[in-house]
Amino acid sequence: EWYVFVGGRTHLDGGHHFVTRGTGQRYAYDIAIVIDGSSFSGDNSKNENHYCFGKRLNAPGDGKIIALENNIDDNYVSGSVNSYINDSNLAGNYIIIDHLNGEHSMLAHFKKGTIIVSVGDMVTKGQEVGKAGNSGNSTGPHLHYHLQNTPEYLDGIGLTAQFLNYY
């Protein structure tokens, strides 16, 4: 099962409220697989020991791929960020989906080279778009997801996402 470990609609729940420029990630979520209360088995410094690493990630809704990055190395050691990560590549490998209604989804920290869509592609809800990784400003394998009102990378105003079939 996938578990939200950072995220929500309040400052208390949403750690991204305090680390963003403006309000673009205001309602962002960091999501990983948790089994028996843990997101990994064995040595947690190894990406491959995290349950979500390399797992399928799907489009959250219909739309058009308008931006992506697919060539950032995953952080070599889970728990630390590679030294070359800076403001230009904080999201690591990512996609931005224009839902064609004024809303844009950003999914970030994909595993290097696993994004299987291209800029200009139309995607449908539930369609595979890549694999979970640990690229960019990430201290462990997970999916970063947020909805915003602009197509710009890590910019705009964060919007609340509507989830179905969760507990």
Side-chain angles (χ1 to χ4, degrees), residues 91-110:
N93 301 307
Y94 71 91
I95 63 172
I96 297 177
I97 303 171
D98 182 346
H99 296 292
L100 307 176
N101 63 358
E103 297 177 344
H104 302 81
S105 284
M106 181 169 196
L107 290 79
H109 308 309
F110 285 82

Side-chain angles (χ1 to χ4, degrees), residues 81-143:
V81 175
N82 291 345
S83 61
Y84 59 83
I85 299 302
N86 57 49
D87 284 353
S88 71
N89 57 13
L90 290 173
N93 301 307
Y94 71 91
I95 63 172
I96 297 177
I97 303 171
D98 182 346
H99 296 292
L100 307 176
N101 63 358
E103 297 177 344
H104 302 81
S105 284
M106 181 169 196
L107 290 79
H109 308 309
F110 285 82
K111 183 178 179 183
K112 180 181 181 180
T114 66
I115 294 173
I116 58 174
V117 294
S118 299
V119 171
D121 286 355
M122 296 300 292
V123 295
T124 58
K125 180 175 122 181
Q127 176 182 336
E128 183 175 359
V129 293
K131 307 284 187 203
N134 185 24
S135 60
N137 187 26
S138 169
T139 57
H142 71 284
L143 167 66

Side-chain angles (χ1 to χ4, degrees), residues 27-116:
Y27 302 114
Y29 294 89
D30 286 341
I31 308 166
I33 294 175
V34 173
I35 298 173
D36 294 328
S38 181
S39 63
F40 62 91
S41 176
D43 180 357
N44 75 337
S45 71
K46 296 181 180 184
N47 288 324
E48 60 272 12
N49 288 345
H50 289 256
Y51 299 125
C52 73
F53 190 72
K55 296 294 190 231
R56 174 184 173 139
L57 296 176
N58 302 328
D62 298 348
K64 182 177 183 178
I65 304 296
I66 59 168
L68 67 80
E69 172 62 55
N70 199 19
N71 292 309
I72 305 290
D73 287 327
D74 287 279
N75 293 306
Y76 305 116
V77 176
S78 180
S80 64
V81 175
N82 291 345
S83 61
Y84 59 83
I85 299 302
N86 57 49
D87 284 353
S88 71
N89 57 13
L90 290 173
N93 301 307
Y94 71 91
I95 63 172
I96 297 177
I97 303 171
D98 182 346
H99 296 292
L100 307 176
N101 63 358
E103 297 177 344
H104 302 81
S105 284
M106 181 169 196
L107 290 79
H109 308 309
F110 285 82
K111 183 178 179 183
K112 180 181 181 180
T114 66
I115 294 173
I116 58 174

